[in-house]
Amino acid sequence: MINGALMETKELGKTKEKIPALGMGTWKIGSNESEGIEALKTGIDIGMRFIDTAEMYGTEEMVGKTIEGMDDMFIATKVSPNHFRYDDVIKSCNRSLEKLKVKQIDLYQLHWPNSSIPITETMKAMEKLVDLGKIRYIGVSNFSTKEMKDAQNALKHEEIVSNQVEYSVLVRYVEKEILKFCQDNKITVIAYSPFGSGKLYGQRSNSMYDLLRNVGSKYQKTPSQVALNWLMSKDRVMAIPKAANIAHMKENIGALGWKLEDADMNKINDFLSDERPMVWSLNPLVKRTSSFWARLMEYKEMGRNMRGKTK
Ligand code: NAP
């Protein structure tokens, strides 16, 4: 299915299907629709074939317009936690299909766990969508190991193929448990915010950025390319940076086609960021609390964007 000539691939779950190791995130891509479309089209022109969106981002229509007429894209979107009731999942999927202008969504993900709705009810709807041919694969996002196990147990005939989680050189709590669980169980890890939502660049004087620059000079690669290569070099991990800036988009694809040597991987693995000490980034409880507030802000902002659009 994937035709991007430049693309390195990773196996999606246990499906034996290969998906691009580098995708395009779309949260807040572009200050307006045409800017977003231009950025995504640039990515496609240089070989990108995976796009990640979500009903909550308000970017599904933009993605639909970008990929109209293409048949070699891999499209991932997400259903929001407030739509996890059976009928709501079906309705959300139908809406997403319409906005994306596709007959089938490649990867449909639960955006965030919602303990107030039984996971069995949500997964029944997800399997129904597979049976109806509206989605190909089921994924989750921001799920802990326990939540992944519960979600898998709630499925009758499908398997969870991926967990989309925050993972970057700066934010590494997934390494505590989730990463190994996914690797052992052949679940693809989709690393979101691979540049810490841009924090990596706000700290240019910090030593993580310096380390990436030093490592990169050996390969003639930029800190961004090293940060992405470090993620993609890990078993089962793919990354979905967001780049509205065309130069950034082009730079990021330079993370493909080469490999960090083990010694350099280890330098980054072993590095404790001054800004986010290990004790912070490896503590799932602290992390989840901080993520909760970060996401709450994210949802509020998306709500504002969506209200703005309907005016
Ligand atoms: P990110 O990809 O870590 O960082 C994006 C920021 O980095 C933007 O400011 C971008 O600037 C900048 N950037 C990109 N490439 C660059 C380069 N080569 N040099 C310098 N700056 C560069 O942040 P993110 O948007 O949070 O995460 C990426 C995607 O993950 C999202 O778009 C979304 O699809 C997904 N996500 C999922 C969840 C979830 O809960 N599942 C949560 C957050 C994000 P420009 O835009 O100006 O190029």
Side-chain angles (χ1 to χ4, degrees):
M1 168 173 197
I2 304 298
N3 197 17
L6 286 168
M7 265 300 151
E8 282 169 31
T9 56
K10 293 266 171 163
E11 187 181 343
L12 179 66
K14 295 178 194 152
T15 66
K16 304 240 173 343
E17 177 158 343
K18 301 280 188 188
I19 57 161
L22 191 65
M24 297 188 280
T26 61
W27 177 42
K28 291 193 195 162
I29 192 163
S31 53
N32 57 49
E33 193 177 74
S34 58
E35 204 179 294
I37 291 176
E38 198 192 344
L40 292 173
K41 286 210 157 148
T42 302
I44 292 170
D45 285 348
I46 51 181
M48 303 282 247
R49 287 296 181 273
F50 183 119
I51 301 182
D52 176 73
T53 179
E55 62 171 333
M56 222 171 240
Y57 295 170
T59 53
E60 286 178 322
E61 274 172 351
M62 174 200 292
V63 173
K65 287 179 190 167
T66 307
I67 61 164
E68 201 169 2
M70 296 188 68
D71 61 4
D72 62 349
M73 294 298 296
F74 189 96
I75 303 301
T77 189
K78 313 181 196 81
V79 52
S80 307
N82 55 325
H83 293 151
F84 282 5
R85 287 280 171 206
Y86 184 93
D87 288 344
D88 294 337
V89 174
I90 307 286
K91 279 186 207 153
S92 283
C93 180
N94 286 334
R95 270 197 304 270
S96 292
L97 284 166
E98 209 169 298
K99 288 182 181 169
L100 291 164
K101 300 184 205 235
V102 292
K103 291 205 175 74
Q104 195 177 44
I105 291 161
D106 294 296
L107 176 63
Y108 202 39
Q109 305 155 102
L110 304 187
H111 201 150
W112 198 267
N114 181 353
S115 57
S116 62
I117 297 174
I119 189 71
T120 43
E121 177 174 341
T122 310
M123 285 311 196
K124 194 171 169 197
M126 295 292 269
E127 286 196 314
K128 181 70 182 174
L129 290 170
V130 175
D131 295 343
L132 291 171
K134 296 194 176 202
I135 67 173
R136 296 178 63 216
Y137 300 118
I138 299 171
V140 294
S141 177
N142 299 301
F143 273 44
S144 67
T145 303
K146 172 162 187 334
E147 286 157 349
M148 275 190 278
K149 286 181 190 161
D150 291 347
Q152 183 56 58
N153 289 337
L155 287 165
K156 290 209 162 69
H157 55 79
E158 291 301 313
E159 292 204 72
I160 289 167
V161 298
S162 59
N163 189 8
Q164 185 176 134
V165 286
E166 184 171 8
Y167 190 20
S168 69
V169 289
L170 296 177
V171 178
R172 296 176 41 190
Y173 72 96
V174 296
E175 291 175 354
K176 171 130 175 119
E177 202 178 280
I178 295 171
L179 179 62
K180 181 156 189 331
F181 178 83
C182 288
Q183 289 169 335
D184 289 348
N185 291 281
K186 297 195 169 163
I187 294 170
T188 302
V189 173
I190 303 179
Y192 76 69
S193 303
F195 303 132
S197 291
K199 282 190 203 78
L200 188 62
Y201 310 103
Q203 310 166 342
R204 278 183 197 250
S205 61
N206 89 349
S207 28
M208 173 52 88
Y209 192 85
D210 289 344
L211 173 63
L212 296 176
R213 192 171 38 212
N214 287 341
V215 168
S217 63
K218 178 166 150 191
Y219 305 85
Q220 282 152 12
K221 294 291 174 185
T222 66
S224 314
Q225 292 165 342
V226 175
L228 292 175
N229 193 282
W230 175 80
L231 282 169
M232 294 187 294
S233 296
K234 292 177 183 271
D235 181 33
R236 293 273 150 197
V237 181
M238 64 156 296
I240 49 166
K242 184 275 286 187
N245 177 307
I246 305 287
H248 291 165
M249 182 70 81
K250 289 181 178 167
E251 179 184 340
N252 294 344
I253 206 160
L256 294 164
W258 60 285
K259 208 167 175 329
L260 283 164
E261 289 167 14
D262 288 349
D264 292 320
M265 283 294 288
N266 288 336
K267 273 188 204 162
I268 302 170
N269 286 340
D270 297 343
F271 189 85
L272 303 185
S273 165
D274 291 337
E275 301 291 327
R276 303 187 75 156
M278 221 46 161
V279 64
W280 164 266
S281 49
L282 282 183
N283 183 332
L285 189 66
V286 177
K287 175 66 204 162
R288 283 183 84 75
T289 314
S290 72
S291 280
F292 173 80
W293 288 111
R295 288 317 144 216
L296 193 65
M297 293 298 116
E298 183 187 337
Y299 296 157
K300 275 192 169 168
E301 189 170 330
M302 281 169 202
R304 268 202 299 276
N305 289 344
M306 284 166 109
R307 280 196 297 280
K309 275 192 180 160
T310 53
K311 269 180 198 164

